[in-house]
Amino acid sequence: MAFVETLPRGMFIDGRDVGGGGLTATPVHDPATGEVVGTALEGGAAEIDAAVASATAAFARWSRMPASARGELMHAAAAAVLSELDALAQLLTLEQGKPIREATLELQRFVHTVDHYAGMSKNLRGGYVPNLDHDAHGLILRRPLGVVGAIVPWNFPTTLLANKFGPALVTGNTLVAKPAETTPLTTLRIAQIFSTAGLPPGVFNVVTGLGAEAGEALVRHPGVAKIAFTGSTRVGRHVMAAAAETTKRITLELGGSDPMIVCEDANVDAAVKAATVGRFFNCGQACLAVKRLFVYEAVYDEFVEKLLARTGRLRIGPGSDPATLLGPVHSDRQRRVVEEQVAEALDGGAELLHGGKRPEGESFDAGFFYEPTLLLEAARDSRVATEEVFGPALPIWRVGDFDEAIDRANESVYGLGSSIFTRDLNAANSAAERLNAGYTWINSPQRPYDELPFGGVGQSGFGREHGIEALDHYTETKSVVVRRADVETER
Ligand code: NAD
């Protein structure tokens, strides 16, 4: 209880906690128990105005600071988070539901990403074009955009923030973040830690509130130069239209329905492990989760048997229990969506291999638990085949050959990640070229790297996070022609 009493309660604007002033306080629930564990204020247009004003004032100083000084402040901020990692992981588990081990991993990744971009402060580059004509050369500046709005969902509240914070700040932008309404607490605590570590006021602000109010106000604000949005395709479309009003730049990291292909020559054990972790990590609530599995006939029986055994060993429980491998679904609403998708698949003729229901027992009653679920041969037009399944249910299909596997994998409107397990170099290369996705993993767990650009095609969005490529999305080029002052030009 003492821990809960120290939780952040306000928003974080202009370097300090900003309190209620008559705003509604929304309860934050522990998904493992349903209990209220904190509250977050419902900010709106006024709070967004205040945060954008602070970020605008900070931009004038932050963008002109030596880049290496920005990098040093970011390294210090990352180190401060690392020193409070255990408490932050507890807080993340409390509001998000994920197992404590995964919360720790998420925060380690957060620190890694911030450090990764802080390190780039020493390598920011522009361009030089010699001999434009006799006496002139060109320079290509890369200028920061200004105030960036970062809108983040509840599944990875901190890493998805770091993906925006890192490239935005190192290139000289300032940030106003809007966390998901159900996971505001860890973000607010991080803002406090960053400030204590020396990040100047206004460089990083957090406004909590509903998407339709605080989020909408951020997207429509004329003082915001860019929106970096991660969330559902439905809301992403809306954000795209709303941002058009002020011709804002946007990046959209949206939903996915990532396919995984297991070929006849695959290392089956490695593929089974990747499929289990890839589907059930974070209780299946990852944009890069394995959401459709296509297995060659020749290894189908062996693969399915081993997958079933491994899935059966996933220990379900509250995230706070270190032995838990599968925590609760984040919300009752999200659990109902998955239940409906599974029920529709079963009605349409799919075979239930495992799960398909809430776990029984008193300890599960109040939380939003759901068993890890395996479905065989769901109809090709079923919801689990055509929609994103954002929870612990995995549909599996047999495929006859490579072309069929690629065609089925590419049937989705989404195109975020994809993976293939094979020892055949030709098949691997061909899959990398033919799979419609922003990422293809070959014989590898579906893990994103800070070093590689990450993002989608199709209805998974556009723009890239991670990699040096992310810097392009937080800077604008400006061309400069430099000519000697004492030379007459022809016109
Ligand atoms: P969501 O779209 O409902 O919400 C995401 C964020 O948008 C929240 O902060 C929400 O408050 C805000 N929002 C809602 N309405 C808004 C509006 N009108 N204007 C501005 N902001 C608004 O998504 P979710 O359910 O919280 O997250 C799950 C989704 O996110 C899944 O589809 C998942 O695949 C996707 N996701 C994508 C990536 C990626 O990198 N591609 C990563 C993680 C999650």
Side-chain angles (χ1 to χ4, degrees), residues 131-196:
N131 306 103
L132 283 173
D133 54 42
H134 287 305
D135 301 295
H137 63 262
L139 300 178
I140 302 165
L141 312 188
R142 296 214 65 105
R143 303 202 307 160
L145 305 172
V147 177
V148 172
I151 300 181
V152 180
W154 46 260
N155 59 337
F156 292 96
T158 70
T159 45
L160 298 171
L161 174 67
N163 292 352
K164 298 157 182 60
F165 178 94
L169 263 65
V170 77
T171 47
N173 303 279
T174 54
L175 210 64
V176 176
K178 209 298 279 171
E181 29 286 74
T182 51
T183 53
L185 302 176
T186 316
T187 306
L188 285 166
R189 182 68 198 119
I190 285 175
Q192 293 173 334
I193 294 172
F194 276 0
S195 176
T196 309

Side-chain angles (χ1 to χ4, degrees), residues 349-431:
E351 180 189 334
L352 182 67
L353 185 67
H354 191 269
K357 60 180 174 56
R358 301 177 183 192
E360 282 153 24
E362 219 173 284
S363 59
F364 298 119
D365 285 352
F368 315 133
F369 295 94
Y370 191 71
E371 289 188 358
T373 296
L374 301 174
L375 298 167
L376 301 181
E377 306 304 325
R380 212 158 158 171
D381 61 353
S382 61
R383 290 182 60 187
V384 294
T386 57
E387 296 177 0
E388 176 177 42
V389 179
F390 213 58
L394 178 59
I396 304 152
W397 292 274
R398 271 174 217 271
V399 287
D401 60 21
F402 186 72
D403 283 336
E404 185 188 354
I406 297 288
D407 289 349
R408 293 292 304 274
N410 282 344
E411 252 169 25
S412 174
V413 295
Y414 296 109
L416 197 54
S418 56
S419 52
I420 183 164
F421 281 75
T422 179
R423 291 184 167 90
D424 177 349
L425 192 58
N426 289 338
N429 281 328
S430 188

Side-chain angles (χ1 to χ4, degrees), residues 84-442:
E84 291 203 25
L85 202 88
D86 291 345
L88 283 167
Q90 276 186 57
L91 184 54
L92 183 55
T93 288
L94 191 70
E95 66 175 342
Q96 206 286 333
K98 65 183 65 197
I100 189 74
R101 197 182 131 267
E102 295 185 16
T104 304
L105 270 175
E106 176 173 341
L107 284 152
Q108 285 166 343
R109 283 207 56 83
F110 175 91
V111 170
H112 190 276
T113 302
V114 174
D115 270 334
H116 180 79
Y117 283 100
M120 285 190 190
S121 63
K122 297 193 176 72
N123 290 297
L124 299 176
R125 292 285 184 272
Y128 166 71
V129 181
N131 306 103
L132 283 173
D133 54 42
H134 287 305
D135 301 295
H137 63 262
L139 300 178
I140 302 165
L141 312 188
R142 296 214 65 105
R143 303 202 307 160
L145 305 172
V147 177
V148 172
I151 300 181
V152 180
W154 46 260
N155 59 337
F156 292 96
T158 70
T159 45
L160 298 171
L161 174 67
N163 292 352
K164 298 157 182 60
F165 178 94
L169 263 65
V170 77
T171 47
N173 303 279
T174 54
L175 210 64
V176 176
K178 209 298 279 171
E181 29 286 74
T182 51
T183 53
L185 302 176
T186 316
T187 306
L188 285 166
R189 182 68 198 119
I190 285 175
Q192 293 173 334
I193 294 172
F194 276 0
S195 176
T196 309
L199 205 65
V203 170
F204 177 57
N205 307 275
V206 181
V207 176
T208 52
L210 305 178
E213 288 172 22
E216 193 84 21
L218 186 59
V219 174
R220 293 186 191 273
H221 201 291
V224 173
K226 176 211 164 99
I227 293 290
F229 174 84
T230 302
S232 62
T233 297
R234 182 184 63 79
V235 176
R237 269 188 218 116
H238 174 80
V239 164
M240 189 172 175
E245 265 175 29
T246 41
T247 50
K248 278 188 184 56
R249 291 180 55 154
I250 49 172
T251 44
L252 296 178
E253 299 285 355
L254 308 179
S257 184
D258 293 6
M260 173 171 156
I261 298 171
V262 183
C263 299
E264 61 196 342
D265 60 351
N267 175 340
V268 170
D269 291 333
V272 165
K273 186 172 177 193
T276 319
V277 177
R279 175 67 277 195
F280 299 115
F281 188 78
N282 204 28
C283 202
Q285 303 160 118
C287 55
L288 287 177
V290 174
K291 296 183 181 133
R292 294 173 299 136
L293 192 46
F294 300 103
V295 185
Y296 275 43
E297 188 73 56
V299 285
Y300 187 88
D301 290 343
E302 179 193 354
F303 180 90
V304 166
E305 190 184 313
K306 288 181 170 170
L307 182 68
L308 177 61
R310 204 171 175 115
T311 303
R313 290 200 296 272
L314 290 173
R315 188 184 154 121
I316 309 175
S320 55
D321 179 347
T324 291
L325 292 173
L326 192 82
V329 178
H330 178 60
S331 66
D332 194 35
R333 192 176 68 143
Q334 187 60 36
R335 177 171 63 174
R336 272 186 276 120
V337 175
V338 177
E339 284 175 331
E340 284 163 19
Q341 289 172 317
V342 169
E344 193 257 6
L346 294 174
D347 282 350
E351 180 189 334
L352 182 67
L353 185 67
H354 191 269
K357 60 180 174 56
R358 301 177 183 192
E360 282 153 24
E362 219 173 284
S363 59
F364 298 119
D365 285 352
F368 315 133
F369 295 94
Y370 191 71
E371 289 188 358
T373 296
L374 301 174
L375 298 167
L376 301 181
E377 306 304 325
R380 212 158 158 171
D381 61 353
S382 61
R383 290 182 60 187
V384 294
T386 57
E387 296 177 0
E388 176 177 42
V389 179
F390 213 58
L394 178 59
I396 304 152
W397 292 274
R398 271 174 217 271
V399 287
D401 60 21
F402 186 72
D403 283 336
E404 185 188 354
I406 297 288
D407 289 349
R408 293 292 304 274
N410 282 344
E411 252 169 25
S412 174
V413 295
Y414 296 109
L416 197 54
S418 56
S419 52
I420 183 164
F421 281 75
T422 179
R423 291 184 167 90
D424 177 349
L425 192 58
N426 289 338
N429 281 328
S430 188
E433 281 170 10
R434 288 173 58 185
L435 285 167
N436 288 333
Y439 236 109
T440 295
W441 286 272
I442 298 167

